[in-house]
Every structure is written in C-alpha cells, then in structure tokens.
Amino acid sequence: MTNIAVFASGNGSNFQAVADACKNGTIAGDVVLVVCDKPGAFVEKRAEQAGVPLFSFSPKSYSSKAAFEMELVKKLHEQQADLIILAGYMRLIGENLLKAYEGRILNIHPSLLPAFPGLDAIGQALEAEVKVTGVTVHLVDEGMDTGPILAQKPVTIDTEDKRTDVEAKIRQIEHTLYPQTVQYWIEAYKGVEKH
Ligand code: GAR
C-alpha cells in the first residue's frame, strides 16, 4: 500500500475524493497525513471525520520557508509518506520538500495547463471567454503549475454558465480524475524506493 499525504489550504473536497477512493479500493493506498497551511480551513474537519492525522501550521510563525519545510519533511517521514498530493494547497513547494520527494509530488489544477496557471484559474478562463477549460494533474517541479502533465480532461463553458456552474463542472471532473491519476502513478512507480 502507498502512504499518501494530502496538502490542502481550503475546503478539501479533493482530499475527500482521494480519501474515499482509498477506502473503497479505487486507490491502492492510505491517506496517512493531511497538511494544512490555513488553520481553521474546512479540510481540517474533513480530516478529523475521516480519522486522518492532521498537521496544521501557520507559515508566518516560522522564520523561513526552509524552516517549515524541514518540519514538514520530518512529519512526512514520521508517517512514512511515499507520495504527496497537493489538493488546493495554494503555496509553491520549495527545494527542501522537492528534494525529499522528487518525482513523488502531484498537483491538481483547474485549467488545461499550460493555459491559466496560478491563482483563480477559473476566473482567468471566464475572463478570457474561452469555450473550453478543464482540469490537469501534473508532477510538481519548482515552477508554478509547470511540471510534466499526467492527465487532463476538458470542461465546456456554455454561454449560460455562471461561475458557480463552471466551478461545479470542474470539481466533478476533479473528484474522479485525481483518484484515477493517483492510482495510475502508484501502478507506474511501483518499484520506487520507499520512504
Ligand atoms: C481545486 O479546484 C484545485 O484544482 C484548485 O483548488 C481547488 C481546491 O478545492 N487548485 C489550484 O488552483 C492550485 N493551483 P478543494 O479544497 O475543494 O479540494
């Protein structure tokens, strides 16, 4: 079984989808840790309800990114995490974490990358008046939403769609695409050195 750590900053619906997929066997893994950089975010309640250990921290209370990432690596090793998945974690991963988990960090982003990277990808797509946007799952590198793409799915934006409609369509795709791609990663990377 692959030990998965989920990093999130908000609602945590993608954490929920992945945790549920681990429980029902769609993913051959267990969520062993939730990391949250926004104390009080709803994902913390979800982690508690799912019985998953939570590490909640406030980046401002550390002297540097290197300092909190070193602590995160310690927690990840304590939980024997093999894979990190970012699920609405709104922060760039720094070199300490990248080095410790090279090739083992995934991210989900609500656009067809390389279109609309960064903040508010759905707002950017609406502003650009595109007819098609979508969801991307990719490996994380040092850039902003730039690593190798593992999976993508399009979502159409119809003329009558409001922002909430587009958000709902995107979330629905995310909640199946992320578990599928995590399982794909697990199968593809089976022989990878553990912990
Ligand atoms: C998701 O739509 C995810 O793609 C996006 O944040 C949302 C989190 O929702 N991530 C990014 O924009 C990363 N650049 P959730 O908290 O309900 O899972």
Side-chain angles (χ1 to χ4, degrees), residues 8-16 43 46 86-91 107-111 116-122 134-136 138 144-145 167 170-171 174-175 178:
S9 308
N11 177 15
S13 68
N14 281 285
F15 154 72
Q16 192 74 60
V43 69
R46 293 185 188 266
L86 310 183
Y89 182 69
M90 304 311 273
R91 190 171 291 281
N107 181 41
I108 191 160
H109 185 77
S111 76
F116 313 130
L119 289 178
D120 193 18
I122 296 174
V135 175
T136 301
H138 65 96
M144 167 98 74
D145 304 319
E167 282 171 355
I170 289 215
R171 294 290 183 275
E174 288 187 335
H175 297 164
Y178 215 5

Side-chain angles (χ1 to χ4, degrees), residues 1 11-12 17 24-25 41 44 46 62 66 71 83 88-89 95 97 99 105 109 119 121 149 164 167 173:
M1 288 297 239
N11 177 15
N24 73 26
E44 297 186 348
R46 293 185 188 266
Y62 290 82
E71 173 125 17
L83 168 68
Y89 182 69
E95 58 183 334
L97 258 175
K99 223 170 162 185
I105 310 178
H109 185 77
L119 289 178
I149 289 169
T164 48
E167 282 171 355
I173 297 286

